[in-house]
Amino acid sequence: MKDGSAFLNDNAQRIADGMIRDAERLRIAVSNGPLGETLIDAGSRAAGGVEAGLHMAEAAMGGLGSISAVMDRASEKWPFTVEVRSSQPVLACLGSQYAGWNLSGDGYFAMGSGPARALARVEPLYTTLAYRDIASSAVLILETAEPPPQAVVEKVAKATGLAADKLTFLYAPTQSIAGAVQIVSRVLEVALHKANDLKFPLEDIVDGIGAAPIPAPHPDFLTAMGRTNDAIIYGGIAQLFVKGTAQAAEELARNLPSRSSRDYGQPFAEIFKQFKGDFYAIDPLLFSPAEVIVTAIETGDTFRAGGRDAAMLERSLG
């Protein structure tokens, strides 16, 4: 079942096709894998850049998000900011953009995001989301420096019910400019994901906007990963427009900022080391914007909580 204008894979395919047409301008590399899959290197061996990262993020949201890079002079040392908006935030962020599909194995590590997830529906999250996509092709985004090996392509093809030559994989490592941009573009998504963890009714979230500073890339993976996470955890802001009571909106605002987590207060790279590289041992409530605004549209009330932590940004982003 498709929901209104939400054709996730069709939208993402149009974005990917546009990237292929503009490959030279975007400084990306396009090729075909051994099974006929389309591979778009946006920042590994290809140079890529900010615009390539913005296109990746738009594809990751299934075309249901508007993403731009802006200069925010009020952000002092980190004015270069990504801004994300969606009027279908649950579907765009959780149904598509969330990196929830583990595609690791045989020495290859990657988490898949993008609308191919909505075809495969192999994650528990899809027991909550009623949306089912119908598409003749599928797009998947990978945060990695290497294209997917044949076993991963076969796994995705089987799960989506599509032939491998109908699959498009966009990939870029965290250390690249494009990788950093598309990861920080998840500032709204992490707010939605945490709202779901807090058991807030997803059907009551009707619109959203988020922003976070774009950190400088770094050649060391751990440092780069730390910067992209800290940009959101200590520098991100999101506003959600919700239905329901003012009391429910106020409770969501109070619990949504990252500082409500037990692990708040250190650069993410240090937290990652503290848990010996076990990503899943970190408190999941840490992954949310530093500052949130929740507006109850049925009462007109707005609630604010959290705030940017300049000291932590200084330690991490420099």
Side-chain angles (χ1 to χ4, degrees):
M1 178 182 68
K2 289 188 175 183
D3 179 15
S5 62
F7 310 120
L8 293 174
N9 279 285
D10 291 350
N11 290 343
Q13 190 64 61
R14 284 193 291 272
I15 294 168
D17 290 344
M19 294 178 71
I20 293 170
R21 288 193 300 271
D22 294 337
E24 184 175 355
R25 179 174 67 83
L26 296 174
R27 300 188 300 177
I28 62 177
V30 182
S31 62
N32 291 108
L35 299 179
E37 70 275 14
T38 299
L39 303 172
I40 301 179
D41 173 358
S44 179
R45 292 171 179 83
V50 171
E51 193 169 356
L54 294 174
H55 281 71
M56 286 185 74
E58 289 174 351
M61 296 184 79
L64 298 183
S66 298
I67 307 174
S68 56
V70 299
M71 293 294 287
D72 178 8
R73 294 294 184 184
S75 295
E76 299 176 351
K77 293 183 67 175
W78 310 280
F80 196 18
T81 299
V82 66
E83 185 178 281
V84 185
R85 306 183 305 280
S86 179
S87 291
Q88 297 196 52
V90 174
L91 192 53
C93 294
L94 299 185
S96 192
Q97 189 183 26
Y98 174 58
W101 193 359
N102 190 339
L103 295 171
S104 304
D106 296 328
Y108 183 79
F109 178 81
M111 298 297 293
S113 62
R117 296 173 50 244
L119 281 179
R121 294 181 62 86
V122 296
E123 304 160 43
L125 179 61
Y126 286 96
T127 62
T128 303
L129 302 175
Y131 176 84
R132 289 180 179 273
D133 202 18
I134 301 172
S136 58
S137 62
V139 177
L140 200 67
I141 287 78
L142 302 172
E143 298 171 22
T144 177
E146 298 297 331
Q150 184 170 324
V152 168
V153 176
E154 291 172 344
K155 179 178 180 178
V156 173
K158 181 178 180 180
T160 58
L162 296 173
D165 63 2
K166 299 299 183 182
L167 302 176
T168 298
F169 295 87
L170 287 76
Y171 66 98
T174 308
Q175 301 96 310
S176 67
I177 297 175
V181 169
Q182 79 90 9
I183 294 169
V184 174
S185 296
R186 299 172 185 276
V187 59
L188 181 59
E189 177 257 297
V190 296
L192 269 290
H193 194 264
K194 186 169 181 178
N196 186 47
D197 285 346
L198 294 171
K199 309 302 181 185
F200 187 84
L202 293 179
E203 63 272 17
D204 285 352
I205 303 175
V206 299
D207 215 316
I209 184 169
I214 299 174
H218 196 282
D220 176 70
F221 170 73
L222 183 58
T223 302
M225 180 179 66
R227 287 181 174 182
T228 54
N229 279 279
D230 290 337
I232 295 174
I233 294 169
Y234 299 113
I237 181 171
Q239 180 166 7
L240 302 181
F241 298 86
V242 303
K243 296 185 294 184
T245 67
Q247 180 181 359
E250 182 178 21
E251 182 178 356
L252 178 62
R254 183 173 63 251
N255 293 318
L256 202 53
S258 54
R259 66 182 59 196
S260 66
S261 167
R262 66 164 194 257
D263 291 332
Y264 181 93
Q266 298 181 70
F268 184 80
E270 294 183 14
I271 297 171
F272 192 73
K273 290 178 183 176
Q274 177 184 327
F275 286 98
K276 297 178 170 52
D278 184 354
F279 196 87
Y280 297 100
I282 300 170
D283 181 10
L285 299 183
L286 178 67
F287 300 100
S288 54
E291 182 177 358
V292 300
I293 304 169
V294 180
T295 296
I297 61 174
E298 293 173 350
T299 68
D301 295 295
T302 294
F303 304 94
R304 299 170 176 83
R308 171 178 289 215
D309 192 329
M312 291 304 303
L313 289 175
E314 186 75 38
R315 289 179 62 183
S316 178
L317 274 59

mmCIF file of all heavy atoms in Angstrom, residues 3-34:
data_model
loop_
_atom_site.group_PDB
_atom_site.id
_atom_site.type_symbol
_atom_site.label_atom_id
_atom_site.label_comp_id
_atom_site.label_asym_id
_atom_site.label_seq_id
_atom_site.Cartn_x
_atom_site.Cartn_y
_atom_site.Cartn_z
ATOM 1 N N ASP A 3 1.049 5.395 0.426
ATOM 2 C CA ASP A 3 0.352 6.378 1.243
ATOM 3 C C ASP A 3 0.472 7.759 0.602
ATOM 4 O O ASP A 3 1.507 8.402 0.674
ATOM 5 C CB ASP A 3 0.961 6.379 2.648
ATOM 6 C CG ASP A 3 0.306 7.399 3.554
ATOM 7 O OD1 ASP A 3 -0.776 7.884 3.205
ATOM 8 O OD2 ASP A 3 0.900 7.696 4.609
ATOM 9 N N GLY A 4 -0.607 8.215 -0.045
ATOM 10 C CA GLY A 4 -0.616 9.555 -0.606
ATOM 11 C C GLY A 4 0.499 9.762 -1.605
ATOM 12 O O GLY A 4 0.660 9.016 -2.564
ATOM 13 N N SER A 5 1.285 10.809 -1.387
ATOM 14 C CA SER A 5 2.371 11.145 -2.308
ATOM 15 C C SER A 5 3.662 10.433 -1.948
ATOM 16 O O SER A 5 4.699 10.712 -2.511
ATOM 17 C CB SER A 5 2.604 12.666 -2.285
ATOM 18 O OG SER A 5 2.996 13.079 -0.988
ATOM 19 N N ALA A 6 3.584 9.517 -1.005
ATOM 20 C CA ALA A 6 4.798 8.901 -0.483
ATOM 21 C C ALA A 6 5.159 7.654 -1.285
ATOM 22 O O ALA A 6 4.688 6.561 -0.992
ATOM 23 C CB ALA A 6 4.596 8.545 0.989
ATOM 24 N N PHE A 7 5.960 7.832 -2.309
ATOM 25 C CA PHE A 7 6.439 6.716 -3.107
ATOM 26 C C PHE A 7 7.946 6.654 -2.902
ATOM 27 O O PHE A 7 8.714 7.186 -3.701
ATOM 28 C CB PHE A 7 6.070 6.907 -4.574
ATOM 29 C CG PHE A 7 4.622 7.248 -4.790
ATOM 30 C CD1 PHE A 7 4.265 8.429 -5.405
ATOM 31 C CD2 PHE A 7 3.633 6.388 -4.359
ATOM 32 C CE1 PHE A 7 2.928 8.750 -5.610
ATOM 33 C CE2 PHE A 7 2.292 6.691 -4.558
ATOM 34 C CZ PHE A 7 1.938 7.881 -5.184
ATOM 35 N N LEU A 8 8.353 6.041 -1.839
ATOM 36 C CA LEU A 8 9.721 6.192 -1.355
ATOM 37 C C LEU A 8 10.771 5.792 -2.378
ATOM 38 O O LEU A 8 11.686 6.559 -2.681
ATOM 39 C CB LEU A 8 9.887 5.388 -0.062
ATOM 40 C CG LEU A 8 9.098 5.895 1.142
ATOM 41 C CD1 LEU A 8 9.237 4.922 2.318
ATOM 42 C CD2 LEU A 8 9.553 7.279 1.559
ATOM 43 N N ASN A 9 10.708 4.575 -2.884
ATOM 44 C CA ASN A 9 11.741 4.113 -3.801
ATOM 45 C C ASN A 9 11.660 4.815 -5.153
ATOM 46 O O ASN A 9 12.692 5.110 -5.764
ATOM 47 C CB ASN A 9 11.660 2.592 -3.970
ATOM 48 C CG ASN A 9 12.329 1.867 -2.820
ATOM 49 O OD1 ASN A 9 13.555 1.815 -2.738
ATOM 50 N ND2 ASN A 9 11.518 1.342 -1.908
ATOM 51 N N ASP A 10 10.442 5.112 -5.616
ATOM 52 C CA ASP A 10 10.309 5.850 -6.874
ATOM 53 C C ASP A 10 10.966 7.228 -6.744
ATOM 54 O O ASP A 10 11.700 7.671 -7.637
ATOM 55 C CB ASP A 10 8.836 6.008 -7.250
ATOM 56 C CG ASP A 10 8.182 4.694 -7.654
ATOM 57 O OD1 ASP A 10 8.918 3.695 -7.822
ATOM 58 O OD2 ASP A 10 6.952 4.665 -7.786
ATOM 59 N N ASN A 11 10.681 7.909 -5.632
ATOM 60 C CA ASN A 11 11.280 9.222 -5.398
ATOM 61 C C ASN A 11 12.800 9.130 -5.344
ATOM 62 O O ASN A 11 13.519 9.933 -5.953
ATOM 63 C CB ASN A 11 10.771 9.812 -4.088
ATOM 64 C CG ASN A 11 9.315 10.222 -4.139
ATOM 65 O OD1 ASN A 11 8.745 10.362 -5.210
ATOM 66 N ND2 ASN A 11 8.722 10.407 -2.982
ATOM 67 N N ALA A 12 13.289 8.162 -4.574
ATOM 68 C CA ALA A 12 14.735 8.019 -4.403
ATOM 69 C C ALA A 12 15.419 7.643 -5.712
ATOM 70 O O ALA A 12 16.544 8.074 -5.984
ATOM 71 C CB ALA A 12 15.038 6.979 -3.332
ATOM 72 N N GLN A 13 14.734 6.852 -6.526
ATOM 73 C CA GLN A 13 15.324 6.470 -7.813
ATOM 74 C C GLN A 13 15.495 7.684 -8.716
ATOM 75 O O GLN A 13 16.505 7.812 -9.427
ATOM 76 C CB GLN A 13 14.458 5.418 -8.498
ATOM 77 C CG GLN A 13 15.113 4.781 -9.717
ATOM 78 C CD GLN A 13 16.360 3.992 -9.337
ATOM 79 O OE1 GLN A 13 16.286 3.042 -8.571
ATOM 80 N NE2 GLN A 13 17.513 4.385 -9.870
ATOM 81 N N ARG A 14 14.523 8.585 -8.680
ATOM 82 C CA ARG A 14 14.652 9.805 -9.474
ATOM 83 C C ARG A 14 15.845 10.639 -9.003
ATOM 84 O O ARG A 14 16.574 11.225 -9.809
ATOM 85 C CB ARG A 14 13.365 10.620 -9.395
ATOM 86 C CG ARG A 14 12.230 10.068 -10.245
ATOM 87 C CD ARG A 14 11.106 11.069 -10.382
ATOM 88 N NE ARG A 14 10.402 11.276 -9.129
ATOM 89 C CZ ARG A 14 9.364 10.549 -8.723
ATOM 90 N NH1 ARG A 14 8.906 9.563 -9.493
ATOM 91 N NH2 ARG A 14 8.762 10.805 -7.583
ATOM 92 N N ILE A 15 16.050 10.685 -7.682
ATOM 93 C CA ILE A 15 17.195 11.424 -7.146
ATOM 94 C C ILE A 15 18.499 10.761 -7.579
ATOM 95 O O ILE A 15 19.442 11.427 -8.022
ATOM 96 C CB ILE A 15 17.105 11.509 -5.608
ATOM 97 C CG1 ILE A 15 15.890 12.350 -5.208
ATOM 98 C CG2 ILE A 15 18.383 12.100 -5.024
ATOM 99 C CD1 ILE A 15 15.553 12.257 -3.736
ATOM 100 N N ALA A 16 18.560 9.427 -7.463
ATOM 101 C CA ALA A 16 19.765 8.695 -7.863
ATOM 102 C C ALA A 16 20.038 8.860 -9.357
ATOM 103 O O ALA A 16 21.189 9.048 -9.775
ATOM 104 C CB ALA A 16 19.623 7.216 -7.505
ATOM 105 N N ASP A 17 18.978 8.813 -10.167
ATOM 106 C CA ASP A 17 19.160 8.987 -11.608
ATOM 107 C C ASP A 17 19.690 10.386 -11.921
ATOM 108 O O ASP A 17 20.533 10.564 -12.822
ATOM 109 C CB ASP A 17 17.836 8.767 -12.341
ATOM 110 C CG ASP A 17 17.392 7.304 -12.335
ATOM 111 O OD1 ASP A 17 18.238 6.434 -12.036
ATOM 112 O OD2 ASP A 17 16.210 7.040 -12.620
ATOM 113 N N GLY A 18 19.217 11.381 -11.173
ATOM 114 C CA GLY A 18 19.729 12.728 -11.347
ATOM 115 C C GLY A 18 21.193 12.831 -10.971
ATOM 116 O O GLY A 18 21.970 13.549 -11.623
ATOM 117 N N MET A 19 21.584 12.120 -9.914
ATOM 118 C CA MET A 19 22.989 12.100 -9.527
ATOM 119 C C MET A 19 23.846 11.475 -10.623
ATOM 120 O O MET A 19 24.949 11.953 -10.914
ATOM 121 C CB MET A 19 23.172 11.327 -8.217
ATOM 122 C CG MET A 19 22.535 11.979 -7.002
ATOM 123 S SD MET A 19 22.732 10.993 -5.481
ATOM 124 C CE MET A 19 24.508 11.201 -5.171
ATOM 125 N N ILE A 20 23.343 10.427 -11.244
ATOM 126 C CA ILE A 20 24.089 9.772 -12.321
ATOM 127 C C ILE A 20 24.270 10.730 -13.494
ATOM 128 O O ILE A 20 25.361 10.829 -14.075
ATOM 129 C CB ILE A 20 23.368 8.478 -12.745
ATOM 130 C CG1 ILE A 20 23.422 7.445 -11.604
ATOM 131 C CG2 ILE A 20 23.983 7.910 -14.019
ATOM 132 C CD1 ILE A 20 22.551 6.227 -11.831
ATOM 133 N N ARG A 21 23.204 11.445 -13.839
ATOM 134 C CA ARG A 21 23.306 12.407 -14.944
ATOM 135 C C ARG A 21 24.300 13.524 -14.635
ATOM 136 O O ARG A 21 24.995 14.016 -15.525
ATOM 137 C CB ARG A 21 21.931 13.013 -15.233
ATOM 138 C CG ARG A 21 20.951 12.074 -15.905
ATOM 139 C CD ARG A 21 19.754 12.837 -16.428
ATOM 140 N NE ARG A 21 19.035 13.528 -15.369
ATOM 141 C CZ ARG A 21 18.037 12.997 -14.662
ATOM 142 N NH1 ARG A 21 17.655 11.746 -14.916
ATOM 143 N NH2 ARG A 21 17.422 13.688 -13.730
ATOM 144 N N ASP A 22 24.364 13.920 -13.345
ATOM 145 C CA ASP A 22 25.231 15.030 -12.938
ATOM 146 C C ASP A 22 26.508 14.546 -12.266
ATOM 147 O O ASP A 22 27.103 15.260 -11.461
ATOM 148 C CB ASP A 22 24.483 15.955 -11.979
ATOM 149 C CG ASP A 22 23.320 16.668 -12.638
ATOM 150 O OD1 ASP A 22 23.357 16.801 -13.878
ATOM 151 O OD2 ASP A 22 22.392 17.088 -11.929
ATOM 152 N N ALA A 23 26.927 13.338 -12.585
ATOM 153 C CA ALA A 23 28.058 12.726 -11.887
ATOM 154 C C ALA A 23 29.317 13.587 -11.924
ATOM 155 O O ALA A 23 30.014 13.738 -10.911
ATOM 156 C CB ALA A 23 28.342 11.346 -12.467
ATOM 157 N N GLU A 24 29.614 14.165 -13.063
ATOM 158 C CA GLU A 24 30.831 14.964 -13.168
ATOM 159 C C GLU A 24 30.743 16.202 -12.284
ATOM 160 O O GLU A 24 31.703 16.541 -11.585
ATOM 161 C CB GLU A 24 31.066 15.361 -14.631
ATOM 162 C CG GLU A 24 32.374 16.110 -14.850
ATOM 163 C CD GLU A 24 32.648 16.382 -16.312
ATOM 164 O OE1 GLU A 24 31.878 15.909 -17.171
ATOM 165 O OE2 GLU A 24 33.648 17.067 -16.601
ATOM 166 N N ARG A 25 29.594 16.858 -12.296
ATOM 167 C CA ARG A 25 29.430 18.056 -11.478
ATOM 168 C C ARG A 25 29.493 17.727 -9.995
ATOM 169 O O ARG A 25 30.054 18.494 -9.195
ATOM 170 C CB ARG A 25 28.094 18.737 -11.806
ATOM 171 C CG ARG A 25 27.816 19.991 -10.988
ATOM 172 C CD ARG A 25 26.553 20.675 -11.460
ATOM 173 N NE ARG A 25 25.353 19.890 -11.211
ATOM 174 C CZ ARG A 25 24.713 19.867 -10.035
ATOM 175 N NH1 ARG A 25 25.175 20.564 -9.006
ATOM 176 N NH2 ARG A 25 23.625 19.136 -9.896
ATOM 177 N N LEU A 26 28.917 16.589 -9.609
ATOM 178 C CA LEU A 26 28.891 16.183 -8.200
ATOM 179 C C LEU A 26 30.196 15.515 -7.765
ATOM 180 O O LEU A 26 30.366 15.224 -6.581
ATOM 181 C CB LEU A 26 27.719 15.226 -7.951
ATOM 182 C CG LEU A 26 26.316 15.809 -8.150
ATOM 183 C CD1 LEU A 26 25.268 14.713 -8.010
ATOM 184 C CD2 LEU A 26 26.050 16.934 -7.154
ATOM 185 N N ARG A 27 31.063 15.245 -8.698
ATOM 186 C CA ARG A 27 32.356 14.580 -8.435
ATOM 187 C C ARG A 27 32.153 13.194 -7.827
ATOM 188 O O ARG A 27 32.827 12.800 -6.886
ATOM 189 C CB ARG A 27 33.234 15.449 -7.529
ATOM 190 C CG ARG A 27 33.558 16.809 -8.108
ATOM 191 C CD ARG A 27 34.580 17.547 -7.279
ATOM 192 N NE ARG A 27 34.129 17.759 -5.914
ATOM 193 C CZ ARG A 27 34.861 18.340 -4.967
ATOM 194 N NH1 ARG A 27 36.080 18.754 -5.231
ATOM 195 N NH2 ARG A 27 34.372 18.506 -3.740
ATOM 196 N N ILE A 28 31.197 12.463 -8.379
ATOM 197 C CA ILE A 28 30.927 11.104 -7.932
ATOM 198 C C ILE A 28 31.273 10.129 -9.048
ATOM 199 O O ILE A 28 31.457 10.528 -10.197
ATOM 200 C CB ILE A 28 29.457 10.927 -7.502
ATOM 201 C CG1 ILE A 28 28.512 11.192 -8.689
ATOM 202 C CG2 ILE A 28 29.132 11.866 -6.346
ATOM 203 C CD1 ILE A 28 27.045 10.971 -8.370
ATOM 204 N N ALA A 29 31.373 8.856 -8.711
ATOM 205 C CA ALA A 29 31.711 7.824 -9.697
ATOM 206 C C ALA A 29 30.583 6.803 -9.759
ATOM 207 O O ALA A 29 30.095 6.342 -8.719
ATOM 208 C CB ALA A 29 33.025 7.141 -9.319
ATOM 209 N N VAL A 30 30.175 6.456 -10.955
ATOM 210 C CA VAL A 30 29.073 5.519 -11.168
ATOM 211 C C VAL A 30 29.598 4.288 -11.901
ATOM 212 O O VAL A 30 30.344 4.398 -12.876
ATOM 213 C CB VAL A 30 27.940 6.170 -11.976
ATOM 214 C CG1 VAL A 30 26.778 5.196 -12.152
ATOM 215 C CG2 VAL A 30 27.475 7.463 -11.316
ATOM 216 N N SER A 31 29.213 3.121 -11.418
ATOM 217 C CA SER A 31 29.638 1.878 -12.063
ATOM 218 C C SER A 31 28.573 0.813 -11.824
ATOM 219 O O SER A 31 27.577 1.049 -11.139
ATOM 220 C CB SER A 31 30.990 1.412 -11.495
ATOM 221 O OG SER A 31 30.883 1.142 -10.107
ATOM 222 N N ASN A 32 28.801 -0.358 -12.400
ATOM 223 C CA ASN A 32 27.921 -1.504 -12.176
ATOM 224 C C ASN A 32 28.698 -2.622 -11.537
ATOM 225 O O ASN A 32 29.844 -2.893 -11.896
ATOM 226 C CB ASN A 32 27.304 -1.981 -13.490
ATOM 227 C CG ASN A 32 26.300 -0.995 -14.058
ATOM 228 O OD1 ASN A 32 26.570 -0.336 -15.048
ATOM 229 N ND2 ASN A 32 25.154 -0.872 -13.418
ATOM 230 N N GLY A 33 28.076 -3.271 -10.577
ATOM 231 C CA GLY A 33 28.694 -4.405 -9.911
ATOM 232 C C GLY A 33 28.531 -5.681 -10.711
ATOM 233 O O GLY A 33 27.884 -5.692 -11.768
ATOM 234 N N PRO A 34 29.079 -6.792 -10.214
ATOM 235 C CA PRO A 34 29.068 -8.056 -10.966
ATOM 236 C C PRO A 34 27.676 -8.623 -11.211
ATOM 237 O O PRO A 34 27.490 -9.406 -12.145
ATOM 238 C CB PRO A 34 29.910 -8.994 -10.089
ATOM 239 C CG PRO A 34 29.909 -8.368 -8.737
ATOM 240 C CD PRO A 34 29.840 -6.908 -8.961
#
